[in-house]
Amino acid sequence: MYGSLVIAYLFLGGASAGGFFVMSIWTLMFPQALRKRSTGSNSTLGHRLAESFATLQARIYPLCLLFLILAMLFLFWDLGSPERVIYILLLPHPTMLTFGTICLFSEALVGALLTAASLFRVRMLDGGILKIITILCCPTSLATMAYTGMFLMSNIGIALWNSWAIIPLFICSSLSCGIALVLLADYFLSGRTLVLRAARPLQKLHLICIVAEALSLALFVYSGLSNPEATRSIEILLSPQMLSMSTIGVLGLGMLLPAGCELFSLAQQESRTIPLSDVLCLMGGLILRYCIITCGVH
């Protein structure tokens, strides 16, 4: 229990849900931004931007779906009896595991529909129906991100995780990883300059997420310090090896350096030259989950 499979689930599940959330919100807002660029002499630019954005959707949705499926496999395999998932779906009970299973399968269903629409241009998944599916992707993604924290918080036997701060921490971290995933895929698109310039608001949102994640992490650590039953976990956290990993990996790679890169990029007139902040952010998100799991199950 709570080994590498759970760490992989928390990271891949959170990043995929964050990516779905960011891409769905961006999709809902994109037509309005496109109309501003599609008037007069900018009509050609608007058409190229629409094509680039459609290509981005066709890459992000399948990638997030793949990550989500892997996360589900890791989680259900860690249960020891994967067939329990069938019983949970057929005979649901008001438990945290049932809530999480419904969240994950709902997210997978919505993600599969969006993937089919973006890759194969299915006629049935077009127009108003596609918009409804995209809107549904927002709450299902948010619920999946929240469940990655609720999954740990529900284990009352582990004192370090018994803090409400773990839920906003995992939501903010998942959203930050999701933005990084979208921007990283965005960078490697052909004709990426057009979409990257349109993605500048995402970089601003990324900064906000990093700040919110840092505040949530501070509250989470403070909660652990204030809980006498979490003394052993805090001792492990403050040990030289774990402290250096959490400081360099979580704070440095996951927050400070990505924030610095985003600030530098936003200060420039041109698009980013390297996707450094996105890679660092994903590494920091993985290390964050490793540290929380390792310090909790001492």
Side-chain angles (χ1 to χ4, degrees):
M1 286 289 288
Y2 307 117
S4 57
L5 290 177
V6 170
I7 295 173
Y9 154 70
L10 292 173
F11 174 69
L12 293 175
S16 62
F20 273 127
F21 184 84
V22 171
M23 200 69 234
S24 59
I25 290 293
W26 198 3
T27 299
L28 293 172
M29 297 178 61
F30 185 77
Q32 182 178 359
L34 183 61
R35 283 194 292 270
K36 296 180 180 179
R37 293 174 174 264
S38 301
T39 57
S41 59
N42 289 331
S43 59
T44 302
L45 177 62
H47 179 69
R48 290 173 56 200
L49 184 59
E51 289 184 343
S52 298
F53 190 75
T55 303
L56 178 63
Q57 290 175 311
R59 293 193 182 188
I60 288 297
Y61 285 139
L63 180 62
C64 290
L65 181 61
L66 175 62
F67 277 19
L68 181 63
I69 292 173
L70 288 175
M72 293 170 66
L73 290 175
F74 289 145
L75 176 62
F76 296 144
W77 188 263
D78 189 70
L79 292 176
S81 301
E83 65 273 9
R84 288 175 59 190
V85 178
I86 300 176
Y87 296 120
I88 292 173
L89 293 174
L90 296 178
L91 301 171
H93 296 282
T95 64
M96 190 59 65
L97 186 59
T98 301
F99 171 75
T101 302
I102 293 174
C103 288
L104 290 170
F105 274 94
S106 299
E107 179 76 352
L109 175 60
V110 172
L113 293 174
L114 291 174
T115 298
S118 62
L119 280 181
F120 308 112
R121 308 295 175 89
V122 181
R123 290 186 178 181
M124 293 179 60
L125 302 175
D126 199 1
I129 295 178
L130 182 58
K131 185 174 182 179
I132 292 174
I133 297 173
T134 305
I135 292 173
L136 288 175
C137 186
C138 298
T140 56
S141 300
L142 187 60
T144 302
M145 287 188 283
Y147 178 67
T148 57
M150 296 167 67
F151 171 74
L152 297 183
M153 186 180 174
S154 63
N155 294 274
I156 58 176
I158 300 179
L160 181 65
W161 301 344
N162 292 335
S163 169
W164 63 267
I166 197 172
I167 298 177
L169 172 60
F170 272 59
I171 291 177
C172 293
S173 178
S174 299
L175 189 56
S176 179
C177 289
I179 294 173
L181 192 65
V182 171
L183 292 176
L184 190 61
D186 189 0
Y187 177 83
F188 290 103
L189 285 173
S190 56
R192 57 182 175 269
T193 303
L194 287 174
V195 189
L196 274 176
R197 287 175 179 169
R200 290 178 73 86
L202 277 186
Q203 294 177 264
K204 298 177 181 178
L205 178 60
H206 198 187
L207 281 173
I208 296 174
C209 287
I210 291 174
V211 173
E213 182 183 359
L215 293 175
S216 300
L217 179 60
L219 289 173
F220 176 72
V221 173
Y222 175 77
S223 177
L225 291 171
S226 303
N227 187 353
E229 297 181 0
T231 302
R232 179 55 182 160
S233 296
I234 296 299
E235 290 177 354
I236 297 175
L237 177 61
L238 297 179
S239 64
Q241 181 178 359
M242 188 60 66
L243 184 61
S244 61
M245 179 176 293
S246 60
T247 302
I248 297 174
V250 178
L251 296 180
L253 298 181
M255 298 182 188
L256 295 179
L257 287 177
C261 290
E262 296 290 23
L263 284 172
F264 176 80
S265 173
L266 290 170
Q268 308 301 310
Q269 294 297 324
E270 298 182 356
S271 302
R272 296 177 301 169
T273 55
I274 54 174
L276 179 61
S277 64
D278 308 320
V279 175
L280 294 177
C281 182
L282 291 171
M283 292 175 59
L286 178 60
I287 296 173
L288 170 68
R289 287 151 180 82
Y290 169 80
C291 292
I292 291 177
I293 292 293
T294 304
C295 292
V297 289
H298 50 77

